[in-house]
Amino acid sequence: MAAADGQGEAMMTNTDAAFWDRTARRYAKRPVKDQAAYETTLERTRSYLSSEDRVLELGCGTGTTALLLSNAARRITATDISEAMLAIGREKAARQNVGNVDFERATPFDAPFAEASFDAALAFNLLHLIGDVPTAVERIGRLVRPGGHFISKTPCFAGQGFAIRALIGFLQRIGKAPYVNFLSTEGLERTIAAAGFEILETGDFPRRPPAHFIVARKI
C-alpha cells in the first residue's frame, strides 16, 4: 500500500492507488524475503489476538497476512488503497475457503468505520509509505477500543546511509518505487505513544535494515 505523492503527503491519493494497481500481480508473486522474520511477526501478533477479536488490517496488500491470521480472530477487515490488491485478496480467500476476512478499500485517512469498533488494528509495511505518520496513527487510534492493540511492523531507513536513499530516489524517478518516509525506530515509537498508546513490545524482524515491530495498547 502506498502513501502520498507530491500533491500532499498527509493523504493517500489516486496516484498511489494507480501505482499499486499496476504492480499488484507482480507483487503477489514475490516470495517473502525473510521467511523467519515473517514467521516471528505472525507468532508475536497471534499472541495478542483472541478468537473473539474484531481486527482491522490497514495496508493489507494481497491479503496474505490477514488470511494467515484468520484463525486467530473472529473477523478481520482487511483494507488497502488498491482495488487490484484487494481483488487478489478476495481470490485467495475464496480458494482457501476463508469466510471471516472481508476486503474493503480504505486508508488510515478515510477508514469508514465507527470509533472504537476494533479490538486490534494491524499495519505491516505501511507506515513508512505515509508522509504524515502522526495523523495516520492518531486516526488509527480512534478505531481501536480502549485496552485494544495497535500492532505494526515498519521498515525504518533513517540512518541507513546515502546509498539506500539514492537507490530509492532513482527507483522513484523511473516509476518503480512509491514515496518512502525515512523513519527512525525511536521516532516511530514516540509517535505511537503520543497518539495515546502504551508501548508493550518492540523488536526488529529482520534487524537490518530494521523492520521495527511494535505492539501498543490503547490507553
Side-chain angles (χ1 to χ4, degrees), residues 26-47:
R26 292 196 303 274
Y27 180 89
K29 295 177 181 178
R30 294 176 189 167
V32 175
K33 289 184 178 180
D34 190 326
Q35 188 65 36
Y38 185 54
E39 292 294 339
T40 299
T41 302
L42 292 174
E43 176 187 2
R44 297 310 306 142
T45 300
R46 284 194 187 97
S47 73

Side-chain angles (χ1 to χ4, degrees), residues 146-163:
H149 295 97
F150 175 42
I151 305 175
S152 63
K153 189 170 88 166
T154 309
C156 292
F157 294 116
Q160 294 301 303
F162 174 77

Side-chain angles (χ1 to χ4, degrees), residues 6 21 23 35-36 48 52-53 59 63 70 79-80 98 107 113 119 136 147 156 165 190 200 210 218:
D21 284 345
T23 61
Q35 188 65 36
Y48 288 95
E52 293 302 311
D53 279 353
S70 62
T79 68
D80 202 276
V98 175
T107 77
F113 310 113
D119 300 292
C156 292
R165 288 179 177 269
R190 287 195 299 270
L200 302 180
K218 179 70 177 295

Side-chain angles (χ1 to χ4, degrees), residues 64-130:
T64 298
T65 298
L67 295 171
L68 287 171
L69 292 174
S70 62
N71 61 358
R74 181 174 69 180
R75 189 149 216 96
I76 297 178
T77 301
T79 68
D80 202 276
I81 197 173
S82 167
E83 288 289 358
M85 293 279 195
L86 295 168
I88 295 171
R90 295 184 189 107
E91 292 168 8
K92 290 181 179 179
R95 286 198 303 269
Q96 297 173 28
N97 197 30
V98 175
N100 68 331
V101 178
D102 302 313
F103 291 89
E104 299 186 29
R105 188 188 184 281
T107 77
F109 302 101
D110 60 11
F113 310 113
E115 292 192 7
S117 57
F118 294 97
D119 300 292
L122 315 178
F124 299 129
N125 299 309
L126 171 68
L127 297 181
H128 70 299
L129 302 177
I130 295 175

